[in-house]
């Protein structure tokens, strides 16, 4: 086992029983780097303190042994950011499928339906609410 293998094993042993990395950690680190870039142009002491506090909090969460509390924090973060994540995921899918499919909303349940891009009038059945409606593509 080489030098890096020993270090990796030591770090793995150290992290046993600790919380580790999650979505909130990734958000905090990205936010910190955005603030660092902004602070390069602004040069504010308040932003510097906020950067340091974010990094310390992110490190605290990773090394914490109170796994239950960290999971609750992450679940709260995921719950708050659910709608924006779904919106951007839908935008990504719309862009990816822009040549072959079209996305329409069901008039009754407002669910997004992915339909093949074939010109003309079609009758569509929603898989969630079984509502049948006509649509023109």
């Amino acid at each position: 086992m080489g030098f890096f293998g020993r270090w990796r094993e030591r770090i793995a042993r150290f992290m046993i029983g600790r919380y580790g990395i999650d979505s909130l950690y990734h958000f905090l680190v990205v936010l910190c780097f955005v603030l660092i870039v902004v602070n390069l142009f602004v040069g504010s002491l308040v932003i510097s303190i906020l950067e340091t506090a974010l990094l310390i909090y992110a490190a605290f969460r990773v090394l914490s042994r109170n796994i239950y509390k960290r999971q609750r924090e992450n679940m709260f973060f995921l719950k708050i950011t659910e709608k924006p994540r779904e919106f951007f995921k839908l935008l990504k899918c719309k862009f990816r499928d822009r040549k072959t499919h079209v996305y329409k909303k069901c008039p009754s349940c407002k669910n997004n339906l992915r339909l093949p891009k074939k010109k003309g009038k079609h009758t569509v059945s929603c898989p969630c609410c079984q509502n049948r409606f006509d649509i023109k593509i």
Side-chain angles (χ1 to χ4, degrees):
M1 187 179 292
F3 176 75
F4 293 110
R6 286 192 299 261
W7 272 103
R8 198 170 97 174
E9 183 182 321
R10 287 180 185 166
I11 291 172
R13 262 190 276 128
F14 174 74
M15 289 301 291
I16 292 173
R18 299 183 189 273
Y19 185 64
I21 295 173
D22 61 2
S23 299
L24 180 55
Y25 169 82
H26 288 292
F27 174 76
L28 291 172
V29 170
V30 168
L31 181 63
C32 185
F33 282 120
V34 167
L35 287 175
I36 288 171
V37 170
V38 167
N39 202 22
L40 286 175
F41 298 106
V42 176
S44 170
L45 179 63
V46 174
I47 295 176
S48 295
I49 292 170
L50 187 60
E51 295 165 9
T52 307
L54 283 174
L55 279 177
I56 290 171
Y57 182 61
F60 165 75
R61 290 190 80 254
V62 168
L63 299 174
S64 175
R65 290 187 184 263
N66 193 344
I67 294 173
Y68 178 71
K69 273 192 176 178
R70 302 296 87 82
Q71 284 176 340
R72 285 185 53 211
E73 291 170 357
N74 190 48
M75 292 304 287
F76 180 72
F77 169 74
L78 291 175
K79 188 185 211 182
I80 288 175
T81 60
E82 183 176 10
K83 294 228 186 221
R85 284 184 291 119
E86 286 178 5
F87 174 75
F88 286 113
K89 184 178 177 183
L90 180 63
L91 276 181
K92 179 183 169 187
C93 290
K94 281 183 178 181
F95 183 75
R96 181 192 65 210
D97 299 335
R98 69 188 180 280
K99 294 181 181 177
T100 58
H101 291 84
V102 64
Y103 286 80
K104 299 288 182 179
K105 282 195 176 210
C106 173
S108 66
C109 70
K110 307 296 186 217
N111 191 20
N112 283 308
L113 304 175
R114 180 175 171 250
L115 306 169
K117 201 176 216 179
K118 293 183 182 174
K119 295 216 182 254
K121 216 172 197 183
H122 305 283
T123 302
V124 179
S125 177
C126 178
C128 292
C129 65
Q130 307 304 322
N131 181 31
R132 295 181 67 79
F133 57 96
D134 291 327
I135 200 153
K136 185 178 178 184
I137 299 176

